[in-house]
Amino acid sequence: MGIQVNAMTQEKNEYVDAIYGVCEEILYRVTRIWLHPDFIYYRTSRGKKNLQHLSVLHGTTNRVIHERKHVLHHTHNENKEMHNQFGTKERKAFLDLLIEASGDGTILTHQQIREEVDTFLFEGHDTTTASICWTIFLLGLHPEIQERVYNEVSEILGEKSLELSDLGELNYLERVIKESLRLYPSVGFITRFASQDIKIGTRTIPTGTSVGIHIFDIHRNEKYYPEPNKFDPDRFLPENTKSRHPYAYIPFSAGPRNCIGQKFALYEEKTVLSYIIKKYKIKSMQTVDTIHPINELIVRPSEGLMVTLEKRTT
Ligand code: HEM
């Protein structure tokens, strides 16, 4: 979106703190029915704190949109092709497209643009970060699987830099990421609103019900995944997936409101992981039994994940 959050360099970061605060608060409030009415919740100290977090988040997004509108207004480049420093055609940024499509507020209001930007900022960064971390942790526990990834990456990349066309060749790494997303789906739980009666077996879910879908548990169903807690990337070999129920694996949700960033997410993860694995041997300092995954909208380890990185010599 064209802003620097500096989340890696600043120990205390207002934007990051606000994201964590809001995530924690959503779950806290959702699980306490007496806090559901606004007129009660916003009178509590937690409700007031949450408003402060939201004001940081919305303030940042508003600033990004206003700055971008300003730039677009002054460069008048809406209909011109943009070229980067190498002279190749540059695609327009997502925010630029939204601003252009907004028809100066007649088609998309400022608030609607802001909601889209918030969704992308949130869905697009924490999800992939968590998934990359869990994959590193699992590779650090399984040296033989890590070595297979290393061999694949070395064979495809050699000494050259990664190119877009290489990403489709990293098949084993893709299976590793998919299996990691099965065991630790970044989004462990989603909800849907039943817009009509749904019959499941002998039971009916009536219209208007909020339905919780526990992706974390679905992914550990023994019926579809024998030895469900075992990390086995070969579960995602084509011959092993072809007869699996399509909704037995839903890290990106399913249906019309599934994740629109899933292809990008896999590209991003393959890029980051292949660079790390090519340079370092990863060793995990914890085991599956000593880490505690928690669901704060994103499935994270409650106390972080400790790994050591040893520089590869070959
Ligand atoms: C490993 C990475 C990711 C995972 C596991 C993931 C997972 C999901 C899930 C489960 C949903 C459905 C949420 C719901 O229905 O409540 C979703 C929606 C969405 N995701 Fe992702 N996501 C990932 C990465 C990304 C990235 C990188 C982007 C953007 C660049 C993105 C953009 C979105 C958007 C915009 C939606 C909302 C779609 C809609 O409501 O129509 N996601 N994601």
Side-chain angles (χ1 to χ4, degrees):
M1 299 285 173
I3 49 156
Q4 287 294 336
V5 175
N6 298 321
M8 299 287 283
T9 48
Q10 289 173 359
E11 203 171 315
K12 273 255 149 260
N13 183 291
E14 205 187 20
Y15 187 80
V16 176
D17 283 352
I19 291 261
Y20 280 122
V22 167
C23 287
E24 191 188 322
E25 210 46 33
I26 290 173
L27 284 182
Y28 186 87
R29 189 176 177 195
V30 138
T31 50
R32 286 163 181 80
I33 198 165
W34 59 94
L35 293 179
H36 287 193
D38 282 354
F39 72 91
I40 296 179
Y41 178 65
Y42 288 115
R43 282 179 170 73
T44 66
S45 57
R46 291 189 76 115
K48 286 177 190 154
K49 182 84 195 150
N50 201 30
L51 282 178
Q52 281 171 15
H53 287 321
L54 285 171
S55 116
V56 171
L57 296 184
H58 291 166
T60 309
T61 321
N62 282 335
R63 182 165 56 81
V64 174
I65 298 170
H66 283 308
E67 280 172 12
R68 202 58 212 161
K69 275 186 175 169
H70 185 77
V71 170
L72 285 179
H73 188 74
H74 283 86
T75 49
H76 301 291
N77 60 6
E78 291 89 340
N79 296 318
K80 283 188 207 150
E81 276 185 2
M82 295 201 283
H83 290 80
N84 64 21
Q85 67 205 59
F86 305 110
T88 42
K89 195 176 152 191
E90 236 178 33
R91 292 188 190 193
K92 282 191 177 135
F94 173 66
L95 178 54
D96 294 1
L97 288 171
L98 279 178
I99 293 171
E100 278 178 42
S102 70
D104 278 332
T106 52
I107 299 168
L108 279 177
T109 62
H110 176 83
Q111 186 180 333
Q112 285 168 324
I113 296 179
R114 198 190 70 204
E115 284 164 357
E116 294 299 326
V117 172
D118 281 337
T119 307
F120 263 77
L121 278 180
F122 180 71
E123 294 279 2
H125 81 275
D126 237 6
T127 46
T128 34
T129 310
S131 173
I132 289 170
C133 292
W134 287 115
T135 308
I136 289 176
F137 166 67
L138 289 165
L139 286 174
L141 285 180
H142 297 274
E144 66 302 337
I145 294 177
Q146 189 181 153
E147 219 43 35
R148 262 184 87 177
V149 177
Y150 173 75
N151 289 338
E152 182 184 73
V153 171
S154 305
E155 198 173 301
I156 288 166
L157 291 192
E159 291 311 308
K160 71 178 181 71
S161 306
L162 186 80
E163 286 165 26
L164 190 61
S165 57
D166 297 323
L167 295 172
E169 307 283 310
L170 294 167
N171 295 320
Y172 189 64
L173 178 55
E174 180 158 326
R175 294 209 289 281
V176 164
I177 296 170
K178 285 183 172 166
E179 174 68 344
S180 160
L181 274 169
R182 179 185 73 82
L183 284 170
Y184 299 104
S186 314
V187 182
F189 174 83
I190 54 174
T191 51
R192 289 290 182 269
F193 175 79
S195 55
Q196 57 188 65
D197 286 1
I198 304 164
K199 230 177 142 25
I200 300 179
T202 55
R203 291 164 194 269
T204 301
I205 299 173
T207 310
T209 312
S210 287
V211 184
I213 302 161
H214 292 249
I215 299 177
F216 191 96
D217 297 321
I218 291 172
H219 285 182
R220 290 180 190 239
N221 185 337
E222 217 163 1
K223 184 169 158 200
Y224 301 105
Y225 303 103
E227 292 188 78
N229 297 330
K230 186 176 164 197
F231 179 57
D232 176 9
D234 286 344
R235 294 183 204 270
F236 288 93
L237 279 169
E239 59 269 32
N240 294 336
T241 53
K242 69 172 186 289
S243 54
R244 195 177 289 148
H245 193 289
Y247 296 151
Y249 183 70
I250 48 167
F252 297 105
S253 179
R257 296 302 294 268
N258 72 2
C259 174
I260 57 175
Q262 52 188 292
K263 203 167 168 190
F264 176 81
L266 280 180
Y267 279 178
E268 184 183 333
E269 291 192 35
K270 281 183 176 177
T271 306
V272 174
L273 289 165
S274 59
Y275 271 101
I276 296 175
I277 289 159
K278 196 156 178 260
K279 281 200 163 158
Y280 301 101
K281 265 191 190 157
I282 307 161
K283 216 186 255 171
S284 292
M285 309 302 286
Q286 295 137 300
T287 63
V288 167
D289 300 326
T290 57
I291 49 127
H292 305 285
I294 46 167
N295 194 352
E296 279 183 349
L297 296 195
I298 298 292
V299 175
R300 322 175 192 279
S302 62
E303 287 118 29
L305 294 170
M306 305 293 167
V307 296
T308 60
L309 299 178
E310 184 193 325
K311 211 167 177 25
R312 285 187 181 265
T313 45
T314 51

